Amino acid sequence: MKQEILHLFKCRGALLQPQALNYILSLSDPIRESNRMLNSMEQCPLFITLEDVLQYTKNAFASDGGTSSLEKSVTKSITEIIPSENESEIILVKEGKKEIQKSEELSKVEELKSSGISPPWHPIAKEYSVQFKKGKDITGNSTCSGDIKDFVQYFCDRFNQMKKLLRVRRELAGAVKLERAKKQTDKFATICIIADIRTTKNGHRILEVEDDTDTATVLIKKDSKSANLPLVKDEVIGIIGSPSRQGSGTFHSVSPQKRYKNEEGSLLYADEIIVPDVPRTHEPHFSKEPIAAAFVSDIHVGSKTFLEKEFDRFLKWLNGKLDYERELAGKIKYLVIPGDVVDGIGVYPGQLDELQIVDVFSQYEKFASLMQSIPDYIQVIILPGNHDVVRPAEPQPTFPNEIAKLFDKRFVLLGNPATFSIHGVDVLAYHGRSFDDLIMAIQGLTYNTPIDAMRELLRMRHLVPIYGEKTPIAPEHSDMLVIDPVPDIFVTGHVHDIGTDYYNGVTMINASAWQSQTSYQKMLNFNPNPCYVPVVDLQTLRVMNLLNFAR
Ligand SMILES: [Fe+2]
């Protein structure tokens, strides 16, 4: 429990004083109270002390009017727990008992192992029913034919959805349209889309922006607050700024020789750029039952470089047949696969020479037969990726019927991206094709830093912020690539690397791959990191373990 509480606070960027942790542990529902406490804080301090926690409980008790379940916790904590010496003893005794129980269990297992008998396999996940709810998915909901009108409608909808997310930000509550912002003689706030970005030789950044009323040129000075903020073309942002004639540092001081101006002669100064971001108050949902989810991606069945032996080892592990993290294997209730389940055909130059199975339908047949060995109490959720046989433009609908019929009903086939809930936990799954564009556009991002790219997508609240590069976008009338609502788990794949981290209450997973380096990847000097499986405890959203099946 201690680790879970510390994890919750770490997710919000806070550290707990030991006395504060002990106090929280004494409450009747420490996890719920921790979440409530974090959500009640507008700005989370770096160090949370016992005084902070006591203040919270006092306030919460007062606002509940003594009627909520917190009443019992507060009363209990004030009367019994405050003497820290007694409380420490209680915890030590409890832990001591746990240790004794654990060592007894371990010695039984060791005994069985030494006698050559495998301990019986009783997966706890089998005792709980699947709780799966489908969310956003383009499958069966496509509205576009791909003409110019569709694109106009798509970008209008994207802008309106993003504007709604940005308007929640306090700084942008009074945002005005660009046309009006250009006429302001004082500070203003506006929301616009970036049409172009360039950097001057003096290191200042120039944005060409637009909204549905006007266009403008915006200067971000190199010494401003937002000078180093990663920004990309087509991103929707908020600007807190001032007009050129009113700017705090006049633009003559930026470049005496050259005025950065658009056709109307107006230049706006950006004092600060606001991105929609994930609010720090995001309250994740947790499972009430002690089960877990595993994440694997980019299996690439059909390729000569598919790591079949290692994948088979993973399947054996799921069935409790490996003497490796066996108890954890029994907790897996959901398996999420965000795309590239087969290698496909004609996806990259020279791929044909590297295929073991050259018929794409046979690749899916092989994949489906491998999946059959997954225990029947596990729900498997599968999305397509850029190697799968669905339309390349995103959002991608799910697999066609000829392929879907290879899977029985415990396999849920969704589009890419898709949102769904497992045991009450909201998941956003996306293959990750837009990483290709993001890595090219943002300095410091590489194929080996997928978590940093995921964090940028969450900050931008859009899965494919850049249009017109490697990731094709289908102009659906409603933009399904906007990240709304905020998920509890955000999972991607595509880059064949592993990564896990937490950002403002969101657990981020970049699932690994099951393919060794292809000649194409070698040419690009890309080294994959295959055969890792992150497992997330759905009661805490904490990554319990990062398993390695390459050994
Ligand atoms: Fe892949």
Side-chain angles (χ1 to χ4, degrees):
M1 178 67 80
K2 263 187 191 176
Q3 292 307 317
E4 278 76 22
I5 303 290
L6 289 171
H7 161 71
L8 285 175
F9 281 82
K10 192 188 155 204
C11 283
R12 307 288 180 92
L15 298 169
L16 261 186
Q17 202 188 37
Q19 294 93 323
L21 173 65
N22 284 344
Y23 178 79
I24 291 170
L25 286 165
S26 73
L27 300 174
S28 63
D29 189 342
I31 288 183
R32 195 193 59 186
E33 294 309 337
S34 297
N35 278 314
R36 287 180 65 181
M37 190 185 313
L38 285 163
N39 291 330
S40 73
M41 292 173 174
E42 209 166 277
Q43 284 253 307
C44 208
L46 181 60
F47 292 104
I48 294 182
T49 63
L50 179 62
E51 285 71 34
D52 294 328
V53 180
L54 288 172
Q55 188 58 46
Y56 156 76
T57 46
K58 205 171 136 193
N59 294 345
F61 183 55
S63 67
D64 284 344
T67 53
S68 79
S69 58
L70 188 63
E71 182 184 5
K72 285 177 194 160
S73 303
V74 174
T75 314
K76 179 183 170 232
S77 53
I78 290 170
T79 55
E80 298 172 21
I81 307 301
I82 288 290
S84 57
E85 287 169 19
N86 295 347
E87 202 267 339
S88 308
E89 279 169 25
I90 293 164
I91 290 173
L92 284 173
V93 171
K94 278 184 190 165
E95 285 186 347
K97 275 186 185 166
K98 270 188 200 163
E99 280 307 311
I100 292 164
Q101 272 178 5
K102 204 175 163 190
S103 60
E104 278 172 359
E105 280 166 21
L106 277 174
S107 59
K108 274 183 201 164
V109 172
E110 290 304 321
E111 211 176 287
L112 285 165
K113 274 186 199 164
S114 60
S115 62
I117 305 164
S118 283
W121 170 241
H122 293 303
I124 189 169
K126 202 174 177 175
E127 294 168 24
Y128 300 99
S129 316
V130 164
Q131 293 175 29
F132 174 86
K133 236 198 247 166
K134 205 172 149 180
K136 277 203 272 187
D137 185 344
I138 190 62
T139 310
N141 297 313
S142 180
T143 50
C144 73
S145 54
D147 61 25
I148 192 78
K149 274 189 197 158
D150 286 336
F151 277 99
V152 172
Q153 190 158 349
Y154 168 78
F155 278 106
C156 283
D157 184 73
R158 176 198 278 217
F159 188 64
N160 288 333
Q161 284 197 57
M162 297 307 300
K163 206 157 68 174
K164 233 161 116 188
L165 295 179
L166 280 158
R167 275 197 178 275
V168 174
R169 298 291 303 263
R170 190 172 29 87
E171 307 93 316
L172 296 172
V176 296
K177 299 238 176 182
L178 208 46
E179 188 182 31
R180 206 172 130 198
K182 283 167 72 174
K183 291 176 187 154
Q184 297 277 105
T185 51
D186 206 348
K187 289 217 173 239
F188 64 83
T190 190
I191 295 170
C192 48
I193 186 163
I194 301 175
D196 196 21
I197 307 174
R198 60 187 191 276
T199 305
T200 71
K201 56 181 179 192
N202 294 328
H204 309 296
R205 275 199 291 179
I206 304 285
L207 308 182
E208 299 297 340
V209 300
E210 59 188 63
D211 71 359
D212 49 350
T213 62
D214 212 337
T215 62
T217 304
V218 178
L219 176 70
I220 309 173
K221 287 173 73 180
K222 66 178 174 189
D223 55 355
S224 83
K225 200 173 169 182
S226 304
N228 299 317
L229 188 76
L231 292 171
V232 299
K233 208 161 63 68
D234 306 317
E235 186 181 352
V236 180
I237 53 166
I239 297 175
I240 309 296
S242 45
S244 56
R245 55 187 176 276
Q246 291 272 320
S248 47
T250 70
F251 88 109
H252 296 283
S253 68
V254 173
S255 172
Q257 286 82 31
K258 189 179 173 187
R259 294 184 173 200
Y260 305 109
K261 58 184 182 181
N262 63 7
E263 281 170 9
E264 288 79 33
S266 61
L267 175 84
L268 306 177
Y269 279 88
D271 298 327
E272 193 180 351
I273 302 289
I274 311 285
V275 294
D277 216 332
V278 172
R280 290 171 69 98
T281 50
H282 170 59
E283 191 176 348
H285 306 87
F286 301 98
S287 159
K288 291 189 176 74
E289 292 169 336
I291 43 116
F295 299 84
V296 298
S297 188
D298 296 78
I299 303 169
H300 289 273
V301 173
S303 166
K304 284 178 187 166
T305 48
F306 164 46
L307 295 164
E308 188 165 359
K309 204 171 67 181
E310 289 79 356
F311 193 66
D312 190 52
R313 200 177 294 151
F314 163 65
L315 295 173
K316 280 198 175 92
W317 175 77
L318 278 180
N319 283 282
K321 289 180 182 165
L322 277 197
D323 185 19
Y324 173 51
E325 295 290 350
R326 212 159 165 256
E327 195 183 332
L328 189 61
K331 288 189 88 174
I332 308 296
K333 188 74 199 167
Y334 302 95
L335 176 65
V336 181
I337 309 178
D340 282 4
V341 296
V342 300
D343 207 47
I345 288 171
V347 184
Y348 63 88
Q351 187 194 19
L352 208 56
D353 298 336
E354 300 197 330
L355 285 179
Q356 181 131 52
I357 306 171
V358 293
D359 170 59
V360 78
F361 188 75
S362 304
Q363 292 180 4
Y364 282 102
E365 279 184 324
K366 168 93 187 268
F367 170 67
S369 80
L370 288 168
M371 292 287 103
Q372 282 312 308
S373 68
I374 291 176
D376 59 5
Y377 58 83
I378 295 180
Q379 173 109 46
V380 187
I381 298 125
I382 307 174
L383 276 67
N386 58 307
H387 279 248
D388 289 293
V389 290
V390 297
R391 79 172 183 198
E394 298 182 359
Q396 299 174 292
T398 194
F399 305 89
N401 277 341
E402 304 81 358
I403 289 162
K405 68 185 181 196
L406 299 171
F407 300 90
D408 62 50
K409 63 177 183 188
R410 72 200 163 95
F411 294 89
V412 181
L413 305 183
L414 299 176
N416 169 47
T419 64
F420 50 90
S421 132
I422 46 177
H423 256 76
V425 174
D426 292 335
V427 181
L428 167 62
Y430 171 56
H431 180 62
R433 182 85 201 266
S434 68
F435 291 155
D436 294 340
D437 300 327
L438 219 58
I439 286 163
M440 295 302 289
I442 297 178
Q443 216 182 358
L445 290 186
T446 71
Y447 280 100
N448 290 113
T449 58
I451 285 295
D452 293 340
M454 291 176 81
R455 197 178 293 108
E456 290 308 325
L457 294 182
L458 284 174
R459 286 178 58 259
M460 294 175 192
R461 296 287 294 273
H462 203 280
L463 293 170
V464 191
I466 305 168
Y467 171 72
E469 299 296 335
K470 283 185 179 170
T471 315
I473 293 179
E476 298 295 343
H477 295 176
S478 171
D479 186 1
M480 296 179 94
L481 303 167
V482 175
I483 303 178
D484 186 34
V486 173
D488 303 324
I489 296 177
F490 177 30
V491 57
T492 57
H494 187 58
V495 296
H496 295 208
D497 203 343
I498 178 70
T500 67
D501 205 350
Y502 311 99
Y503 180 63
N504 286 357
V506 180
T507 300
M508 298 183 291
I509 305 280
N510 185 257
S512 177
W514 300 86
Q515 185 179 36
S516 60
Q517 193 183 44
T518 63
S519 58
Y520 185 59
Q521 288 170 339
K522 198 170 182 179
M523 192 182 80
L524 298 175
N525 199 22
F526 172 70
N527 291 305
N529 218 348
C531 307
Y532 282 93
V533 177
V535 175
V536 174
D537 180 342
L538 294 182
Q539 277 192 309
T540 61
L541 301 191
R542 188 163 173 261
V543 180
M544 297 165 83
N545 218 325
L546 195 53
L547 307 163
N548 183 357
F549 291 90
R551 290 174 292 182

